[in-house]
Amino acid sequence: MFPLYSRKLDTYDGIDIIDINKYKKPVNRKVMVIIMPIKTDTLTNSFRILTKNTEYQIKADEYGVLKRVWYGRRVDCDMEYMLDYPNTGFSVNPYDAAHNRNYSLNTLPLEYPCDGAGDFRVPALSVIRRDGSRALDLRYTGFKVLDGKYSIPGLPAVYAEKDEAQTIEIYLADGDITVTLRYGVLPKYDIITRSAVISNKGKSAVRLENAMSMCLDIPYGEWDWIHFEGRHAMERIPERAPLIHGVQESSSKRGASSHQQNPSVILCDKTCSETSGECYGAALMYSGSFKTQIEYDQVNQARLVMGINPDLFSWELKPGDDFHTPEAIMTYSAEGFSKLSHNFHRVIRNNVCRGRYKTAKRPVLLNNWEATYFNFDDEKLLEIAKKAAELGADMFVMDDGWFGKRDSDTSGLGDWIVNENKLKGGLKPLVDKVRKMGLKFGIWIEPEMVSEDSDLFRAHPEWVIRIPGRNPALCRSQLVLDMTRNDVRDYLYNAISAILNSADISYIKWDMNRSICDWYSDTLTSVNMGEMPHRYVLGLYELLEKITSDFPDVLIEGCSGGGGRFDAGILYYCPQIWCSDNTDAYDRTKIQYGTSFIYPLSAVGSHVSASPNHQTGRVSSIEARAVTAMAGSFGYELDLNKLTDEEKEEVKNQITRFKGYDDLIHNGTYHRLSDPLRDKFALWQYVAEDKSEILVHGMIFRQEPNMLRYAVRLRGLSEERLYRLETDGKVYTGKALMNGGILLPHTWGDYAPVELHFTEV
Ligand code: GLA
């Protein structure tokens, strides 16, 4: 018999509070996470983590092996009966399971599987001891429950109020190596975070070769996986494929999370759609090289591991040292991808992004990059800014080319001193003039990089990442500064704060325009050299932390050739990220579609640019470009003076409209109403939290003659309420809009914009 958890004492926000009378430590009874240690006279311990709609069960069995018993819908029942113990040939058995051939680490769902002791699937942890041996067989030693959400030294992590989250630490050990598995639980959002602390309690150093943030074993089910692939100027395109036996992987070795793959993944059942089906999602809060692996094993179990890419990682763990893995954010939805995305959007918006701009309205900005590239002076910029002010923008952003000798991308990076040939009299007079127009001022920097042709490189060639005796590889003609060095970080901190203190600057675009290789640092010995890629990221985070805490009013937008470092780690410091260097509206419907599976719209930097588009040559109307760019932190990236008078009027109107919608777009609930990779149109919808307002935006790619109009069902409305469509004043019931749908307007020409705005009657 398995126990039913039935001793319900109370409920909180729909979540059962269950007697936790076996606790040794006092626990606040109002907490929403329920851990039930079922103590027996052996080592057996069970943990049950409840969120609003999900349940996670972990058990340390009679051998102390920590098994994942369940993750999915709320079941209110011990699910251990679902674990099977097959006697599969060539599976090894732990010594203490004696001759029980049915008990094998190789077939059990494990919480944090290790290398070398009989589980032959992809591991979460690989260690090499001093004697060269690798076997690690962690067993349970105890647990602790803490109010609030844990944080991680030197790394970004989900944060929460004390009464909003709980932390469970589960302790494991094999001899002198101990591991603390940390689970942060945010019941309201169905979010569970994972991170591990690996500690060396012994007398000699050991080497970590792989230390993943999470493992999720799922014994049953037929699964597809979705990852987000792409390239520069075409990022995060979702790719869904069935699991095949063996290991499937999505990863980056570029020193950044990359354009090519994203540190996020979804496992879903075969029938999973936007509105139904089961899916698990995981997103890594990390901006460096990562790896996600899903192994589909011999008995059709799926194992998902995610963390720092072990191919570029090796860490010497000295006696007494702890190593903290980055955090992985997990969620589960039994209601398809929409619900999964809503969970991620909410937690990233409210518990990852920080600072004033977490809630403050994001300024509508005009960026001069595609308007001028490197070819500008102060007069030219002022002309562009003036028009932006006239048409209603909030901020002018001066992009690349304002500093050092920077007339092309071959020189000047590192010399963060204004170029007075371009900006006569320096930065302050320009900023003051722009501020007088009623605009805020923003500035572009690329702190981590240096050009060979720069004063900084000439003064400090030793600050660059390169291997002694070898020429370093170049990328966009630039080199990378060694962010593990204190003197480099100090230089950058001083350079950035000097810029920010020199004038009234409200925004930084923090760019990073190359992939990193030639890993080597003078600060490390040959024994420690494998630590460099991770230490680079720690150095970057330290600098970002210092800048964000010393300049709390400055909005930082992340960027890496567009979306080459678009991850939940960067969002902890920069609440928005330039989504892609591709500003073509049609392509953006696909890029932003993929991005929206994990990341909230407020995180997506998105601008209207010129037509024909500079990346694709595609022609589209200013209205189509605006509707697409409004799905994010909105702005313009063109010379508004070059527009026709009609277009200028339209821009004015767009900015006014966006300012009426921005709360709905950034804080409302977002629904993908079509799949633009497959369908003939892209369509998405925003619903106000109180369901009183709905905005449908999109683009019909091509017009087909002699056809019915497209009908699309809306989602997330109140069935009983009445909604009026702004364009024609017609009134519909929520029920009709959700069950029948709405007919999309007749449009004319390619890439035709759609905007349907409904308000409750
Ligand atoms: C990167 C960015 C662009 C622009 C240029 C400037 O490519 O993504 O938006 O800032 O750098 O060099």
Side-chain angles (χ1 to χ4, degrees):
M1 267 308 282
F2 48 86
L4 286 171
Y5 298 121
S6 55
R7 285 196 58 200
K8 195 191 285 187
L9 297 182
D10 201 354
T11 62
Y12 180 94
D13 198 19
I15 296 164
D16 303 343
I17 304 290
I18 295 176
D19 187 3
I20 39 176
N21 50 14
K22 297 250 168 93
Y23 258 84
K24 287 202 191 110
K25 301 225 153 66
V27 175
N28 175 1
R29 295 233 160 212
K30 284 251 162 66
V31 297
M32 293 168 280
V33 181
I34 291 87
I35 326 295
M36 283 196 70
I38 305 168
K39 283 250 177 198
T40 70
D41 53 356
T42 69
L43 254 183
T44 306
N45 273 276
S46 289
F47 306 95
R48 181 179 183 227
I49 301 171
L50 298 184
T51 69
K52 194 162 186 181
N53 303 291
T54 74
E55 177 155 354
Y56 196 102
Q57 293 182 15
I58 308 167
K59 181 170 230 159
D61 69 11
E62 63 267 39
Y63 302 113
V65 168
L66 195 68
K67 300 181 300 200
R68 194 204 59 84
V69 175
W70 178 253
Y71 186 29
R73 255 181 245 261
R74 290 279 298 270
V75 279
D76 300 318
C77 165
D78 183 348
M79 295 303 279
E80 186 163 15
Y81 75 97
M82 288 293 291
L83 300 194
D84 199 11
Y85 296 83
N87 178 353
T88 58
F90 286 81
S91 279
V92 303
N93 318 107
Y95 199 79
D96 44 354
H99 296 292
N100 179 357
R101 293 200 184 170
N102 291 69
Y103 190 93
S104 172
L105 299 181
N106 198 43
T107 47
L108 283 173
L110 301 175
E111 271 304 283
Y112 204 62
C114 304
D115 226 1
D119 182 351
F120 300 98
R121 297 168 288 178
V122 288
L125 183 62
S126 308
V127 169
I128 304 184
R129 289 202 176 74
R130 191 152 171 238
D131 63 4
S133 67
R134 307 182 77 109
L136 191 63
D137 188 357
L138 294 169
R139 303 296 173 95
Y140 173 80
T141 58
F143 74 96
K144 201 186 260 172
V145 177
L146 306 156
D147 281 344
K149 163 74 178 55
Y150 65 86
S151 56
I152 309 178
L155 283 166
V158 166
Y159 61 91
E161 297 295 328
K162 264 221 144 110
D163 59 358
E164 194 189 8
Q166 264 201 317
T167 294
I168 307 154
E169 294 188 341
I170 298 184
Y171 309 118
L172 306 168
D174 179 354
D176 292 335
I177 298 170
T178 69
V179 171
T180 302
L181 297 182
R182 302 169 101 189
Y183 302 77
V185 188
L186 283 81
K188 208 166 46 169
Y189 302 142
D190 290 332
I191 290 288
I192 299 178
T193 67
R194 303 268 319 250
S195 173
V197 189
I198 298 112
S199 310
N200 181 357
K201 310 271 193 225
K203 293 208 161 54
S204 47
V206 297
R207 178 163 295 283
L208 300 182
E209 291 289 298
N210 179 17
M212 288 285 171
S213 301
M214 64 167 284
C215 171
L216 177 62
D217 276 353
I218 308 176
Y220 292 103
E222 279 189 61
W223 304 101
D224 288 345
W225 73 304
I226 300 176
H227 72 121
F228 301 90
E229 62 87 28
R231 55 189 187 275
H232 175 228
M234 207 65 208
E235 300 90 339
R236 290 174 298 287
I237 303 301
E239 187 165 57
R240 177 172 180 167
L243 294 188
I244 55 167
H245 289 103
V247 181
Q248 25 261 290
E249 174 179 318
S250 139
S251 62
S252 160
K253 290 208 273 188
R254 293 168 180 270
S257 42
S258 92
H259 302 86
Q260 287 73 11
Q261 311 266 356
N262 191 261
S264 57
V265 72
I266 296 172
L267 257 185
C268 58
D269 72 40
K270 295 267 168 222
T271 59
C272 190
S273 69
E274 283 291 343
T275 50
S276 68
E278 283 191 284
C279 49
Y280 300 87
L284 193 64
M285 272 186 95
Y286 191 60
S287 311
S289 302
F290 74 93
K291 188 177 273 195
T292 304
Q293 291 180 308
I294 302 178
E295 179 160 356
Y296 194 49
D297 75 7
Q298 55 178 341
V299 291
N300 301 344
Q301 305 186 96
R303 164 171 293 176
L304 188 163
V305 292
M306 182 184 249
I308 294 175
N309 192 331
D311 298 352
L312 282 173
F313 173 82
S314 168
W315 195 275
E316 197 197 19
L317 201 62
K318 296 203 186 74
D321 275 3
D322 296 327
F323 180 82
H324 292 257
T325 74
E327 176 158 293
I329 308 173
M330 294 189 316
T331 194
Y332 164 84
S333 157
E335 297 159 55
F337 302 128
S338 285
K339 177 81 172 77
L340 176 129
S341 296
H342 297 162
N343 296 346
F344 277 122
H345 290 184
R346 290 189 177 122
V347 73
I348 292 177
R349 215 160 51 199
N350 299 324
N351 302 75
V352 170
C353 293
R354 298 180 299 169
R356 194 158 93 74
Y357 283 96
K358 167 176 155 176
T359 47
K361 280 188 188 284
R362 307 291 169 82
V364 174
L365 63 87
L366 181 295
N367 177 304
N368 74 303
W369 177 242
E370 289 197 22
T372 63
Y373 297 101
F374 293 103
N375 186 16
F376 62 82
D377 60 11
D378 45 356
E379 305 221 325
K380 174 98 203 150
L381 297 183
L382 288 168
E383 248 172 61
I384 297 174
K386 188 160 169 261
K387 194 45 75 187
E390 269 171 40
L391 300 185
D394 302 312
M395 182 160 73
F396 173 76
V397 176
M398 177 172 66
D399 210 278
D400 195 356
W402 59 268
F403 52 89
K405 189 181 127 202
R406 185 72 172 167
D407 295 321
S408 74
D409 61 13
T410 57
S411 61
L413 286 176
D415 299 341
W416 301 109
I417 310 284
V418 70
N419 178 343
E420 295 211 20
N421 293 327
K422 284 182 171 174
L423 309 185
K424 279 135 221 130
L427 196 54
K428 188 163 178 355
L430 173 70
V431 176
D432 288 347
K433 283 179 197 150
V434 170
R435 295 288 292 126
K436 263 211 181 107
M437 294 173 185
L439 295 176
K440 291 179 173 4
F441 191 92
I443 197 164
W444 179 97
I445 49 173
E446 194 180 355
E448 300 150 74
M449 298 291 151
V450 62
S451 308
E452 265 187 304
D453 184 2
S454 67
D455 292 341
L456 182 66
F457 182 72
R458 284 181 281 274
H460 289 291
E462 77 283 7
W463 282 6
V464 150
I465 298 181
R466 46 91 189 91
I467 300 166
R470 288 178 66 91
N471 286 326
L474 293 168
C475 179
R476 206 193 190 200
S477 306
Q478 63 200 49
L479 294 164
V480 190
L481 290 175
D482 180 350
M483 296 293 288
T484 71
R485 292 178 69 114
N486 294 334
D487 46 8
V488 165
R489 291 198 305 278
D490 287 348
Y491 169 80
L492 292 176
Y493 177 79
N494 291 333
I496 296 167
S497 44
I499 297 167
L500 293 175
N501 288 328
S502 72
D504 187 0
I505 294 173
S506 311
Y507 160 108
I508 289 177
K509 179 172 169 188
W510 184 302
D511 213 338
M512 189 278 196
N513 280 318
R514 66 160 287 180
S515 304
I516 310 175
C517 53
D518 295 307
W519 289 106
Y520 182 91
S521 174
D522 293 336
T523 62
L524 298 167
T525 63
S526 58
V527 176
N528 303 112
M529 205 52 74
E531 299 174 14
M532 180 156 188
H534 181 54
R535 288 194 184 276
Y536 179 97
V537 182
L538 294 176
L540 168 69
Y541 287 155
E542 188 192 293
L543 180 60
L544 278 165
E545 183 66 39
K546 228 168 151 203
I547 298 284
T548 47
S549 52
D550 290 356
F551 298 93
D553 292 332
V554 174
L555 167 63
I556 307 185
E557 175 155 352
C559 180
S560 171
R565 201 161 59 183
F566 203 119
D567 55 71
I570 285 293
L571 288 169
Y572 187 68
Y573 307 95
C574 313
Q576 61 192 59
I577 301 174
W578 180 227
C579 181
S580 177
D581 272 349
N582 187 342
T583 54
D584 175 280
Y586 168 73
D587 282 352
R588 273 292 185 122
T589 64
K590 296 164 201 257
I591 296 167
Q592 293 173 189
Y593 168 76
T595 305
S596 78
F597 277 84
I598 307 291
Y599 304 102
L601 296 217
S602 53
V604 174
S606 189
H607 302 165
V608 173
S609 64
S611 175
N613 180 266
H614 290 193
Q615 292 79 40
T616 60
R618 192 170 284 118
V619 173
S620 56
S621 69
I622 191 113
E623 185 52 13
R625 283 172 272 153
V627 157
T628 314
M630 283 186 197
S633 286
F634 183 54
Y636 290 80
E637 187 151 338
L638 75 173
D639 186 347
L640 294 168
N641 294 297
K642 294 191 174 151
L643 298 181
T644 63
D645 287 348
E646 265 171 23
E647 285 174 326
K648 283 180 199 148
E649 265 316 296
E650 180 52 37
V651 167
K652 206 171 176 178
N653 171 281
Q654 288 166 0
I655 295 177
T656 313
R657 256 174 34 237
F658 179 76
K659 288 185 181 175
Y661 293 151
D662 60 357
D663 188 42
L664 177 61
I665 292 176
H666 290 170
N667 301 315
T669 308
Y670 176 81
H671 295 270
R672 292 170 292 270
L673 297 183
S674 79
D675 173 356
L677 300 166
R678 200 194 55 198
D679 296 337
K680 293 179 176 164
F681 53 88
L683 208 71
W684 56 93
Q685 177 200 332
Y686 314 93
V687 185
E689 192 138 353
D690 66 1
K691 303 189 178 192
S692 65
E693 189 183 1
I694 306 143
L695 180 64
V696 177
H697 268 166
M699 179 190 277
I700 298 177
F701 298 145
R702 253 161 224 94
Q703 200 41 252
E704 291 184 83
N706 302 324
M707 270 304 290
L708 294 180
R709 289 193 277 157
Y710 298 114
V712 181
R713 286 182 184 161
L714 305 193
R715 294 214 292 269
L717 319 187
S718 163
E719 288 211 326
E720 308 312 325
R721 296 194 217 170
L722 297 176
Y723 295 94
R724 174 173 288 120
L725 179 59
E726 192 179 307
T727 32
D728 61 9
K730 284 197 179 137
V731 174
Y732 305 84
T733 62
K735 228 179 223 171
L737 292 172
M738 290 204 290
N739 293 297
I742 187 85
L743 296 180
L744 298 189
H746 272 302
T747 53
W748 181 247
D750 292 346
Y751 317 116
V754 175
E755 176 168 311
L756 304 169
H757 183 219
F758 299 86
T759 39
E760 190 184 348
V761 179

